[in-house]
Amino acid sequence: MFTIMTLKKSVIILFFLMLSISMFNIALQAEQQNHQRIISLDSEVYRLVDYLSVEAGFSLLNTPRPWSEAEILKIIDQLEYRELSGTGKSAYDQILRDIEKTALYSEENFSADISVGAALEAFLHTSDDETQWTYGFEDRLPFLTITAETWFNSGFYAVLDPDLKESRFVIDQTDSEGNYVGDVFNIPSEFGELNYHFPDRGFLSAGGENWNFQIGRDQLEYGNGETGKLLISSRPDYYDFFKLKGFADNFSYTWTYINLERYTDLDLPDESRFIADHEINVRLFNILTLSVNESVLFDGEEAELQYISPLIVFHNIYRHNEINESISNIAMTTGFNLVPISGLEIYGEFLLDEFQTWIEQAEYGEGVASTPNAIAYMAGARGAVPIGPGYLNGFLEYIYTSPWCYLLEPAGGSFAWTHTETTDVLNKRAWVIKPLGYEYGPDTMAFAGSIGYSVPAVFDVKLTLNYVLKGENYITTTWTDAAGAAALTTPSGIPEKRFIAGLSGNYKVFSFFTVASDLAFITIHNYGHTEGNVFSDFQTAFSAIFRL
């Protein structure tokens, strides 16, 4: 959780100022209904909101997710209910049912609820290599989940969502001879196979009709993308953060502070690693949304007020201190969402991490010519057409990340999520390192497409195809400006060529019971970046999910 001792007094004062403002505003709206519950990213609500907006020919503000109930209501209130199809009206009604939760216990100005979930999953595949699961640790369900929620007055909400899940290291564990052992079910066979690092979700939320303040631990997603996000994605296990968001019909502003673990051997006073991020979204003519995001990652610096000011230009406070190896890495994204006709949305996003301008090249010459540029971009289209009781839906997407995108030296400046995890499976503390942004990290070209059919609150089925060219640079690669680095192109070296075909679906048998399956065929040419080496596998996952 937060390393508060690393924060300067100015940051702590800022937090309590926000909390005080929240309490004052909430006191003024005491008679209003509480809509500050944050909807989990795995909820069907997001998919239904996306379908509705595309059907209505309406561009979403595409603000950072997850959303509060208040923000979802703000979005769907702008849609003309009577002009929706029968399927659209069913989806609209389902969204309202999902967000208007009835608590187990209620009294004046206070409500509380507790729910329990359980899941049994089975995993089978034809390969002996357990490291290439498409349905990996991030996708696998906890075998037991307990969710405790409270609502206070009209503007405070809190949730604690501990879950019991198998350790990530069980998936690809090996025996004494180096052979992969793996597992068949999601239930640990012994206590030592349990993931000790829970909860992944627990926070306080406060807000009103047009704003929300959230502090604690949860997932985050910023930007466009069906197969992943360029800057802040939900692939990491969780984020520890506090976030302030204001939203109107056609404008939103989001400011976020994210605390990260350091993974250096430095022993420095007040050392910390964190991200400050702000984003503006503007909608024009109801069909076009434009977004601008600026994010700075600091490593080895105290969180001074100027670093996390919501209105500062992060590019102007770049830091690189060679004495204590502190550094900052700044990235900017611009994106758009366009709905030219009902049923179709076109989107794109560009990320700028490092770029040498002609002015810099003229001024500094060879000194900057050897510095690699670092960019990423995506372009795609998605559609949703009401047919019968459900939506025929699909997407096409292309993603590119340059060989040095996200990376910096020292490594603490790279856009990577890091976590030290105690595990009895390996009998040690182990490092978990993931890209904060796109799943495959730098040095990637990816093509993806999907077609499916979904009936709200009943069933969902889709076929997905992915083709990925993965170069030899990863999120753990050491950044360099040595000779030849700037000339690398994606995919560098001997690229892995991944083809993945997947068929997935789920069916709600009863309101409390859902069955799901995930089938995938994967083949990787030049596996391990070895010319001619081929890996192939057929994988299956079956799930039975209970929720009370």
Side-chain angles (χ1 to χ4, degrees), residues 137-138 168 235-237 415-418 432-436 475:
F137 176 80
E138 295 82 4
R168 76 180 75 244
R235 295 305 291 179
D237 298 359
F415 276 93
W417 183 86
T418 57
V432 179
I433 304 175
K434 301 180 181 182
L436 285 166
I475 197 64

Side-chain angles (χ1 to χ4, degrees), residues 194-221:
L194 187 66
N195 175 33
Y196 302 143
H197 297 268
F198 62 86
D200 290 344
R201 190 168 188 260
F203 55 82
L204 170 69
S205 168
E209 184 179 353
N210 293 93
W211 64 280
N212 178 261
F213 172 61
Q214 184 182 358
I215 178 171
R217 176 176 288 188
D218 198 3
Q219 284 282 8
L220 294 171
E221 283 189 347

